[in-house]
Amino acid sequence: MRTIESVAGLRAALAEARSEGKLIGFVPTMGFLHQGHLDLMRRAHSETDFVVISIFVNPLQFGPQEDFARYPRDMQRDSELAKGAGVDLLFAPELEEMYPVGDLATRVTVGRIGEVGEGRYRPGHFDGVATVCTKLFGMISPARCYFGEKDAQQLAVIRQIVRDLNIDVAIVGCPTTREEDGLAMSSRNKYLSDDQRRAAAILNRGLTQAAAVFATGERRADRLESVVREVVGEEPKVELQYVEACDSVTFERVEVASEGTVVQLAAFLGPTRLIDNITLS
Ligand code: AMP
């Protein structure tokens, strides 16, 4: 596995792989890798010939009160894990390499989908994601790009950008990798104390319970959301910020749930904000 920090170096390595006829797979990340990231990389490795991952903590997608400065980083460990998952090229640019002139004049804005659901609580977040991913697509031109359903609205945002801007890449959504007790893996789980870590399992229990109630025939979104609120409400260490049944493409809230509706939530455990979701079926 090669580690490259410059865009020029990245392009040269990719030109070489392409000249050998290799299909390029790409997994963008912010690093501090866990099993969920590694599952995306293994999937890329099984479906493409040359796997590129990026590790870049993107300031554009963090709000002023969010955890950009203290976001966990461990490049040495990440590098070893990526190598073990079959990654061929690790792209790890410095901030100046991604944003050389400081603030970018050109940005990608995603419109309404960036303002609903998760976007209501993180203004500008999805525009930041859209901008960095569009830059990465421009640098790498992957044939296939892998994203986790863990960030369901992000995945929908990426599908929208690729559709709207005619970017020639296949977007592959991959299932959420969970701990044994159901907690969705996340780099931010590192922030949790032992007690909070135990309590956090309630989030997936709430979502799973809502899905079970949906399976018995309940279609009213507010009832399904209430199920999550009640289950999560039993755990005093967890403060639910929102739970919302959303359309899987637009992420507008729905009144009536159906197959494919995404129930998503965010919750605080102390200062740590976690998100999770489940697709109803
Ligand atoms: P991040 O490093 O958090 O920006 O995530 C990088 C990619 O990994 C995104 O496509 C995420 O959706 C995906 N991802 C993060 N956590 C998980 C998980 N538990 N299961 C599957 N994919 C995940």
Side-chain angles (χ1 to χ4, degrees):
M1 187 185 78
R2 288 179 67 187
T3 300
I4 294 179
E5 294 181 0
S6 72
V7 178
L10 171 70
R11 288 220 162 101
L14 286 167
E16 195 182 316
R18 276 203 187 84
S19 74
E20 295 164 5
K22 290 181 172 162
L23 192 74
I24 313 287
F26 175 44
V27 182
T29 83
M30 298 204 298
F32 208 74
L33 302 180
H34 52 66
Q35 204 56 48
H37 294 119
L38 299 179
D39 286 346
L40 301 188
M41 293 170 203
R42 287 194 203 96
R43 173 94 178 259
H45 184 63
S46 73
E47 295 180 355
T48 65
D49 308 312
F50 190 87
V51 178
V52 182
I53 73 160
S54 60
I55 294 184
F56 179 65
V57 184
N58 173 36
L60 291 190
Q61 70 189 70
F62 288 78
Q65 308 303 324
E66 295 181 1
D67 55 345
F68 172 69
R70 66 178 195 118
Y71 196 83
R73 293 158 167 93
D74 189 342
M75 196 51 87
Q76 184 64 40
R77 181 174 162 275
D78 284 356
S79 168
E80 279 154 27
L81 289 171
K83 199 167 156 188
V87 172
D88 297 287
L89 196 165
L90 165 54
F91 177 52
E94 296 288 339
L95 193 56
E96 297 70 29
E97 184 69 5
M98 286 300 277
Y99 302 121
V101 290
D103 207 21
L104 274 188
T106 306
R107 304 247 179 152
V108 179
T109 59
V110 298
R112 177 80 185 158
I113 194 172
E115 291 159 12
V116 296
E118 179 73 2
R120 233 169 344 121
Y121 300 90
R122 301 190 75 188
H125 168 69
F126 288 115
D127 289 348
V129 170
T131 301
V132 78
C133 286
T134 303
K135 281 171 69 73
L136 289 165
F137 292 155
M139 293 170 188
I140 296 168
S141 301
R144 299 171 71 79
C145 189
Y146 298 82
F147 289 88
E149 290 169 0
K150 157 82 186 349
D151 300 280
Q153 190 168 350
Q154 169 172 279
L155 177 57
V157 163
I158 299 294
R159 291 194 196 282
Q160 179 188 294
I161 302 169
V162 164
R163 201 166 53 237
D164 286 353
L165 302 182
N166 305 89
I167 299 173
D168 190 15
V169 57
I171 301 301
V172 185
C174 304
T176 302
T177 306
R178 297 181 179 280
E179 303 283 358
E180 250 172 45
D181 63 1
L183 177 64
M185 290 196 184
S186 164
S187 305
R188 290 189 169 99
N189 292 350
K190 173 189 156 59
Y191 298 143
L192 303 175
S193 69
D194 291 349
D195 280 357
Q196 290 170 337
R197 167 62 193 83
R198 273 190 291 276
I202 201 80
L203 297 175
N204 181 241
R205 282 214 291 283
L207 292 169
T208 309
Q209 185 60 35
V213 171
F214 175 81
T216 67
E218 181 59 77
R219 294 293 178 267
R220 288 166 295 186
D222 56 347
R223 294 300 174 95
L224 297 169
E225 291 160 354
S226 293
V227 170
V228 177
R229 253 181 238 111
E230 278 160 29
V231 173
V232 175
E234 287 162 18
E235 178 48 75
K237 290 192 176 62
V238 180
E239 188 201 323
L240 193 63
Q241 186 180 34
Y242 75 88
V243 55
E244 206 168 87
C246 299
D247 179 87
S248 65
V249 175
T250 64
F251 277 77
E252 298 281 354
R253 183 175 181 272
V254 297
E255 291 289 340
V256 180
S258 58
E259 290 271 319
T261 295
V262 176
V263 181
Q264 64 172 353
L265 60 75
F268 284 97
L269 289 96
T272 303
R273 185 176 184 275
L274 299 181
I275 60 169
D276 200 355
N277 68 82
I278 198 163
T279 298
L280 300 178
S281 62

